[in-house]
Each structure stands twice: as C-alpha cells, then as structure tokens.
Amino acid sequence: MSSSFKRRTPTTQPPPPSGTRLNSASSVLETSTGVPSLDDVLGGGQPLGSILTILAPDRHSNWSELLQRYWIAQGLACGQHVCVVGESGRSTKLVDGCMWLSPAEYGDSVKGGASEDEREPGADEEVKIAWRYEGMKRFQTTVSATASKRDDYSHTFELTQKIPSEVIDMALQSGQLQYLPVEPGTPVPPFDKVLSQIKELIATRQGQAANSRQVVTRLAIPEFGGFSWGDATPEAILRFLYLLRSMVQSTQVTVLITIPPHLSQEVPAFDSSIVEGWLTKLGFLSDGCLSFSSFGDNPTLSSAFPAYHGFVHVHRAPSVRSLVPPSHKLSVLRGLSSPSSHSEGGGENNLGFKCTRKRFVIETLHLDVEGGVSERRTAPPISATIHEHSEPVGGSTSTITKAERAQVAVEAPPAANDEVTSPMTSPKPKKARKVVAFQSGGRDLYDF
C-alpha cells in the first residue's frame, strides 16, 4: 500500500544566478568574496541581500583595499554586475589595480602541483616518525582553495597577475562595471544623493532580471565616511547604513563596505564624545562585520608572530534568515562546531592573516616553539658572560675574564670573629668560600 502523502516539487527549477550557491545551513543563496579562507569564516560565503563591513584600524597599511579588490575581481570573473561607489579617480584606480585569475586554474601551468608560495616549509623532506603516525593527516592551519573550470562560484586569483585592460573595457561597454561618483568638497554630505542613486540602480537591475536570467549585483563602497564624503557625523554614517540595509534586503544585491582607519577605532577620530560602543553599532547595522588589525602599530607583535601580518576579529557573522549564523556550524577556521569547543570549553580559534607573494590567506593563529628553537636548552646560552671575583680576608680583589660575554661571580663572606684566640698564638687565616654563579643576559640564574 503506497502512502497518500506526496511531496510537491516543481517540474523545472530555475538555475541559480551565476557565481552563487545554496548554503546548506540557512538555505540562502550566497556568493564568494574571492578569498576562500574568508568565505569559510563567513560560513561559506556572503549571503545575497547582506552588507559586509571590513574594518582596518592600522594607519600604516590598507588591507581593506586588498580585500575590496579581491571582491571586485570575483564579481567580474563570475559575470556579475559590479558597481563602485566613491570618488571617480580613486574608484578607477581601485579597479585597475585588481588581481586576476591564476594561470593554473585553466591549465596554463602544471596541474595538481602546489606553487612554491603555497608549499609548507619542509614539505619535501622525509621525516622519520613512528609507524603508527604515518597514516595521519598533515596538520593544516587554513582551508584549501579548490576551483575548477566548470565551477564559477569561487575562482583562484594571484597577486602577481593583474586584470587585463581589455576585461575592464568590455565590462564598461556591456554595463557589467559601473561607477557611482561621489563629489568631494561639497558643502552638504552626499549621503542622501548616493542613497537615491543606489535605489534607482537596484530598481533598474530588478527590472532587467524580470525579463531575463537573474544576475547578482555587487555594490562596493570603499573608504566609506572618508574625506571624500565631506563632514561625516556619526548620525549620518549610522543612518546611511540603516537605510542601505533596508534597500538590499530580499534582493540579489550584495554590499561590501570598507571603513577608513580613523573610523575603525573604538573611539572614532571625528567625535571624541563617543566613549565606547562605536564598533558595536557598526556591527548591529551590518549583516557581517570583521576587523583586520595589522601589526604595523605594534612591533612586538610582529616579532612574536613572524609568520603573520595581523589579527582577524569577527565582530558579527552574517545570519540572514536564520537565528544562528551558518559560520558557527560550517566554519572550519573558527572551530565553533568542533566537539572540543563545547565539551572542554575551548571556544573560538584565534585567527590571523598573512599576505604571501601570490595570495592573501586567513589561518588559525598558533604560537611558535618557546624560545624560537625546537630543542630545550638546559645549559646557559652561548652569549652568557662569566666574571670571577675573589675576596680574601685581607680585602684584596682580583677579576679574571673566562669568556667574552659570560660572568662568574666569586664572593667571600667576611671572616668570623666569634672564636676566642690566645694572645700567645696567632689565628690561622681561613680560606674564603667561593660561590660561583652563571648569569645570562635575561633573568636566568644558575647557582652552584
């Protein structure tokens, strides 16, 4: 006897837009940012109809601009519409400096072989280990970048490859690439004008999608609230984010906003009255908010973590149409879904980023071996200095140098006068007790 309950499914389902896929946790279409490790931190990618805000508090570097170029290059490579909002000269320079596809993605180089920049140190060396550990998987600190010619969701880009000028010209002629200018030096901040232009753009794209296949629109806003935006107040910035978020919800539009360094601090430079909560407000008015803090302001961190260029802090993970962000379940780098994080209280992994010759990658942050060496030292370092001091009863002092930078201190306690001696007999001179100590350049003291 067959069941009377049947699932109703449409006979033909429209294909998803180019460069998108369905998230397994939230059932929302998402698109790639161009950086596979950043997609993993977001839970698979950036959901459609969401705003992602990138903060870069370091004034000596501009990592947010690099991520913006990855994001734009990914949209152009997937055939999506890209719109850049900002000053005309800076927007053109931003697009012209984008990286482009890796030659290995389309078979121009040897397939299956990792580049020299991606190989781990010592990968080709054979290390003798116990037989029971030979079948174990090698420890990895990031996710692998998998891209193929048939998969247009995520492409592999190399920093050594620059976007061809022919691609930009064709995108401008076909309308795939568009600029929304922001005129600097106007007495009135251009927030309302830019919002009206974005509203018209979204309406135009929705009208075109009704007649043909839907195409995702990427809206890039670099250096939002910078000097080209005029006298930006906290109320104007927060109001712009609130209205923009209401426009892009339930649409095929994704937005990436980068905040300049003077606005990425907990206390922004334009208004000292804001004591705390500025970054929290930016996170509340965005679907996702991440901070990339470089080591440029703190040289001690660069010496402590020589393999990284900065920290990655997730202020808010995107959670479109879901109570729990997909990043909590699907992200490998954050590690919130691992059993150890719940049973043992491990919590979230520390994340760091680095930029190599060919790519930008986010990894789990690990400390190096203590002392910077792989062997445990039980003897004083070579750079130690030795001094020898001897103080006899008569009070004379002599100094002998044993090595170039090591000290051996020899001290003699004062002679004891407790014993009563006869006036006819002279007391025997007592030998001084020697105390030898090795003293290094640090706080280590070896007493014998």
Side-chain angles (χ1 to χ4, degrees), residues 417-446:
N417 298 326
D418 296 337
E419 299 181 2
V420 180
T421 58
S422 172
M424 301 296 296
T425 61
S426 61
K428 277 186 177 183
K430 295 185 177 181
K431 293 183 179 181
R433 180 175 175 269
K434 294 184 178 182
V435 179
V436 183
F438 287 89
Q439 185 174 4
S440 63
R443 300 182 178 178
D444 300 333
L445 184 65
Y446 303 88

Side-chain angles (χ1 to χ4, degrees), residues 87-408:
E87 189 178 352
S88 301
R90 292 186 177 183
S91 300
T92 305
K93 185 179 179 181
L94 178 67
V95 176
D96 293 341
C98 288
M99 65 291 300
W100 198 234
L101 300 175
S102 168
E105 182 175 352
Y106 293 101
D108 294 342
S109 63
V110 180
K111 294 183 179 180
S115 60
E116 298 179 359
D117 195 49
E118 299 177 0
R119 291 179 182 174
E120 297 180 359
D124 298 334
E125 300 178 2
E126 294 184 0
V127 182
K128 294 182 179 180
I129 59 177
W131 61 269
R132 64 172 67 101
Y133 302 125
E134 291 181 356
M136 295 182 63
K137 187 178 179 181
R138 193 178 185 89
F139 178 73
Q140 296 180 354
T141 58
T142 185
V143 293
S144 59
T146 57
S148 62
K149 192 172 182 179
R150 293 172 294 180
D151 184 16
D152 61 348
Y153 176 75
S154 178
H155 293 272
T156 303
F157 298 95
E158 287 189 3
L159 297 177
T160 56
Q161 303 293 328
K162 187 179 179 181
I163 183 172
S165 58
E166 297 81 6
V167 176
I168 300 178
D169 296 338
M170 292 177 59
L172 289 173
Q173 294 176 4
S174 61
Q176 182 185 3
L177 179 61
Q178 185 178 354
Y179 296 103
L180 288 183
V182 175
E183 300 298 335
T186 57
V188 181
F191 293 100
D192 294 335
K193 182 180 179 180
V194 172
L195 284 173
S196 61
Q197 293 178 352
I198 294 175
K199 187 175 181 180
E200 294 177 1
L201 176 65
I202 295 176
T204 304
R205 297 302 183 188
Q206 288 180 347
Q208 295 176 356
N211 302 326
S212 60
R213 183 182 176 183
Q214 295 182 354
V215 179
V216 176
T217 301
R218 292 176 177 246
L219 189 64
I221 307 180
E223 298 293 326
F224 173 64
F227 299 105
S228 61
W229 291 79
D231 189 9
T233 59
E235 293 79 9
I237 293 178
L238 298 179
R239 177 177 174 271
F240 181 90
L241 292 176
Y242 177 77
L243 295 177
L244 180 61
R245 189 180 181 188
S246 62
M247 289 181 185
V248 301
Q249 283 181 349
S250 302
T251 61
Q252 305 291 331
V253 180
T254 57
V255 184
L256 180 63
I257 299 177
T258 57
I259 306 296
H262 70 280
L263 301 180
S264 300
Q265 310 290 337
E266 185 64 34
V267 179
F270 59 81
D271 194 348
S272 59
S273 62
I274 300 179
V275 180
E276 59 183 5
W278 170 249
L279 299 182
T280 305
K281 294 176 182 178
L282 292 178
F284 281 155
L285 295 176
S286 305
D287 295 285
C289 185
L290 284 78
S291 177
F292 290 81
S293 303
S294 176
F295 294 156
D297 288 339
N298 196 343
T300 58
L301 293 177
S302 60
S303 60
F305 304 96
Y308 302 93
H309 290 153
F311 294 127
V312 179
H313 181 65
V314 181
H315 298 280
R316 184 179 182 182
S319 58
V320 177
R321 301 179 187 176
S322 62
L323 297 178
V324 180
S327 176
H328 292 183
K329 301 179 182 179
L330 304 178
S331 178
V332 178
L333 295 177
R334 297 187 68 185
L336 294 176
S337 60
S338 60
S340 60
S341 62
H342 301 285
S343 59
E344 302 177 5
E348 184 176 356
N349 294 333
N350 296 322
L351 301 178
F353 68 91
K354 65 179 182 180
C355 183
T356 59
R357 187 175 65 92
K358 291 187 177 181
R359 62 172 184 164
F360 177 90
V361 64
I362 300 175
E363 296 183 351
T364 54
L365 194 68
H366 297 279
L367 289 172
D368 292 336
V369 181
E370 183 180 359
V373 295
S374 58
E375 299 179 359
R376 179 168 179 153
R377 294 180 301 184
T378 57
I382 302 176
S383 60
T385 54
I386 301 177
H387 295 277
E388 183 176 342
H389 303 276
S390 108
E391 185 177 349
V393 178
S396 62
T397 305
S398 62
T399 303
I400 301 175
T401 303
K402 293 289 185 181
E404 184 179 356
R405 293 187 60 193
Q407 295 183 1
V408 176

Side-chain angles (χ1 to χ4, degrees), residues 1-6:
M1 182 177 178
S2 61
S3 175
S4 59
F5 296 98
K6 295 182 179 180

